[in-house]
Amino acid sequence: MEVLMKEGKLVYVNGLLLEAEQAYVGIEDLALNRGYGVFDFFRVRDGVPLFMEAHLHRLQHSARQMHLTLQLNDEQLSQLVHHLIAQNACKDCGIKILVTGGISANGYSLGSSPNVVISTHELPPQNPAHYTSGLRLITHEYRRDLPAVKTINYLMGIWLQPMVTQAGADDVLYCWQGEVHECPRSNIFIVSRSGEVFTPVHGVLHGITRRHVLNLSRHRYPTHDTEVTRDMLYDAAEIFVTSTTKRIAPVVSIDGDPVGNGQPGPITRQLMDDLQQFEWQYLEERRP
Amino acid sequence: MEVLMKEGKLVYVNGLLLEAEQAYVGIEDLALNRGYGVFDFFRVRDGVPLFMEAHLHRLQHSARQMHLTLQLNDEQLSQLVHHLIAQNACKDCGIKILVTGGISANGYSLGSSPNVVISTHELPPQNPAHYTSGLRLITHEYRRDLPAVKTINYLMGIWLQPMVTQAGADDVLYCWQGEVHECPRSNIFIVSRSGEVFTPVHGVLHGITRRHVLNLSRHRYPTHDTEVTRDMLYDAAEIFVTSTTKRIAPVVSIDGDPVGNGQPGPITRQLMDDLQQFEWQYLEERRP
């Protein structure tokens, strides 16, 4: 969840810095008309874009996978991001880089050059209840198209929102043919009763936070990125999700049934501490 | 395939008539960022919007299914369309009505009011080869999300285009778990060797042209909208697709194998004539 920074702030659109209120994309854009585009999103803390290299690397991968010819390399994107952080005096915020299908000559075929929008976003304070009380998830039988690519296709996630609310839940967990995949905007981790840590490897976006948590977890616990079945979900001692904005958030119920004792567990809390520490170390090394 | 009419032409955007070159949607729009929106598209012939009532009815249905509160009723939309046809001196063209998720407060939750864009499009003359020589299709294992809703999600169709081109084909046919569904932008009909006509009823968008062809076919042949298996596809005597822009286009090969004798068949040609006649009659009754 993020809110576009507007008053007096700038947005990069195809080589121009525009005032945020007046930043527009033409109505022929393929994202607008055909839902075709990719993006990435990362946080800025104390003026330092967190793990930007990894996010830019993934953005380039997403664009290539979608046959989009992004004309900007990582260094150019990085310079634009730093320039925007300085211009918008954006010490702690989110950065979104959107790469759309561009203008299509016939409303369907890919254009020759994508539209690129880089914008700064306020990150509302996370709901503290999610960290102490934890998240409630419901499951839904679904597999995203091209799950390993960070496309703009969130049709199902948004469409399911009223259903999530009605169930008194916080988010939905996509499962597919007996396997656990992911939430619309976060990866899932499962801690077994024997204290092993699992995260699905198939049908998921390979999150940057997911990768960090996997590495941190490997230093402490038997850790596996592998196939995860629904049975493992219902048998879990602890469950948590990871994302750039949430970092680690404990999950306390699935489809109304409590996870473990219904409280955030010790391994989840340990990895939350480890991730904080890891982020802090990254920041210390790069602080101006 | 359609091309936005630009020079000196107007586009309706949220209550305003803007010059087409300067018609934009703000970067916070949920279609642009999350691929969330619906649309409809119909042809104008001799200044008469063809089957507009049916298209507006479907658009309202699509919007409701997607939890979008379209503030304009059919009569208001119809008036806007007629006004735009007059303003843009658009005798023969396509009309697109796009209803997006609107501006989201947090970049994910649905906004309170959608963005509405109504635009006029040039329809390039159809490739005559498609009507005499027919289309070549390849199959792909895929089922669209919310197939009965005309959403803007064409991610898979556009993503598959290079694969279609490489296979020397014209379009892709989605099949799912042994069943035949639809092409990204058209419905499919299959004529069996015994002269019966079938079209899939599950996992498809219920096209307006599909409905007309079903009705016309029922007057001549045993006709079924039902489950259609892949076996029926490979056994077919004739195959054709229907859409607003293509009307009826014969299919002459599937995955490189010829359909029937590899030529457009007699039942396909009969229904092409019937549909022409039906459209003509509709026009005659409404011509100013």
Side-chain angles (χ1 to χ4, degrees), chain A residues 143-164:
Chain A
R143 181 184 182 273
R144 287 195 305 115
D145 297 343
L146 313 180
V149 183
K150 199 166 171 70
T151 72
I152 60 166
N153 177 16
Y154 285 76
L155 191 134
M156 188 55 69
I158 295 177
W159 185 74
L160 288 170
Q161 278 186 318
M163 198 188 296
V164 170

Side-chain angles (χ1 to χ4, degrees), chain A residues 71-166:
Chain A
Q71 307 284 358
L72 300 160
N73 63 26
D74 286 10
E75 203 185 312
Q76 292 166 313
L77 285 169
S78 167
Q79 279 172 6
L80 288 168
V81 167
H82 281 292
H83 186 61
L84 208 59
I85 290 172
Q87 282 281 338
N88 288 355
C90 155
K91 221 167 152 264
D92 294 275
C93 70
I95 300 276
K96 180 171 188 169
I97 309 181
L98 175 67
V99 180
T100 77
I103 292 178
S104 168
N106 60 17
Y108 194 71
S109 302
L110 273 180
S112 56
S113 73
N115 284 320
V116 179
V117 179
I118 310 178
S119 48
T120 54
H121 298 259
E122 282 168 39
L123 294 173
Q126 288 291 314
N127 187 343
H130 292 171
Y131 296 93
T132 52
S133 324
L135 296 170
R136 297 151 300 176
L137 304 184
I138 57 169
T139 59
H140 187 74
E141 185 74 7
Y142 181 65
R143 181 184 182 273
R144 287 195 305 115
D145 297 343
L146 313 180
V149 183
K150 199 166 171 70
T151 72
I152 60 166
N153 177 16
Y154 285 76
L155 191 134
M156 188 55 69
I158 295 177
W159 185 74
L160 288 170
Q161 278 186 318
M163 198 188 296
V164 170
T165 305
Q166 208 171 1

Side-chain angles (χ1 to χ4, degrees), chain B residues 43-280:
Chain B
R43 280 185 299 126
V44 174
R45 202 173 150 185
D46 290 347
V48 177
L50 287 173
F51 313 115
M52 180 164 67
E53 323 77 65
H55 286 277
L56 294 181
H57 185 80
R58 184 172 64 181
L59 179 70
Q60 299 279 4
H61 174 261
S62 295
R64 275 195 307 274
Q65 290 290 313
M66 293 281 279
H67 322 303
L68 295 171
T69 313
L70 183 49
Q71 307 284 357
L72 299 160
N73 63 26
D74 287 10
E75 203 184 311
Q76 292 167 313
L77 286 170
S78 167
Q79 280 172 7
L80 289 168
V81 167
H82 281 292
H83 186 61
L84 208 59
I85 289 172
Q87 282 281 339
N88 288 356
C90 155
K91 221 167 153 271
D92 293 276
C93 69
I95 299 277
K96 181 169 186 169
I97 308 181
L98 174 67
V99 180
T100 77
I103 292 178
S104 168
N106 60 17
Y108 194 70
S109 302
L110 273 180
S112 56
S113 74
N115 284 320
V116 179
V117 179
I118 309 178
S119 47
T120 54
H121 298 259
E122 283 167 38
L123 294 172
Q126 288 291 313
N127 186 343
H130 292 170
Y131 296 93
T132 53
S133 323
L135 295 169
R136 297 151 299 174
L137 304 184
I138 57 170
T139 59
H140 187 75
E141 184 74 8
Y142 181 65
R143 180 184 182 275
R144 287 195 305 115
D145 298 342
L146 313 180
V149 183
K150 198 165 172 70
T151 73
I152 60 165
N153 178 16
Y154 286 75
L155 192 132
M156 188 54 69
I158 294 176
W159 185 73
L160 288 170
Q161 278 186 316
M163 197 188 296
V164 170
T165 306
Q166 208 171 1
D170 302 294
D171 207 349
V172 64
L173 172 61
Y174 297 145
C175 297
W176 185 244
Q177 298 179 341
E179 272 192 54
V180 175
H181 282 178
E182 59 185 357
C183 295
R185 295 174 295 160
S186 54
N187 290 114
I188 192 156
F189 283 73
I190 287 165
V191 182
S192 71
R193 287 165 197 266
S194 60
E196 295 187 55
V197 176
F198 297 87
T199 192
V201 71
H202 299 304
V204 304
L205 185 76
H206 290 97
I208 309 298
T209 310
R210 174 185 178 276
R211 187 199 306 166
H212 296 155
V213 171
L214 264 176
N215 288 338
L216 293 167
S217 178
R218 283 196 181 107
H219 284 97
R220 292 194 183 268
Y221 315 109
T223 300
H224 319 272
D225 54 335
T226 177
E227 186 179 312
V228 173
T229 64
R230 261 182 187 265
D231 291 343
M232 293 163 73
L233 194 68
Y234 297 122
D235 265 359
E238 303 178 31
I239 297 178
F240 60 86
V241 294
T242 61
S243 82
T244 293
T245 47
K246 290 192 186 76
R247 294 165 174 112
I248 290 178
V251 173
V252 292
S253 77
I254 302 277
D255 291 330
D257 292 326
V259 174
N261 64 1
Q263 299 289 323
I267 292 183
T268 304
R269 287 200 306 269
Q270 179 63 59
L271 290 170
M272 285 166 90
D273 288 347
D274 289 356
L275 187 62
Q276 286 277 38
Q277 185 61 33
F278 177 73
E279 189 177 306
W280 188 252

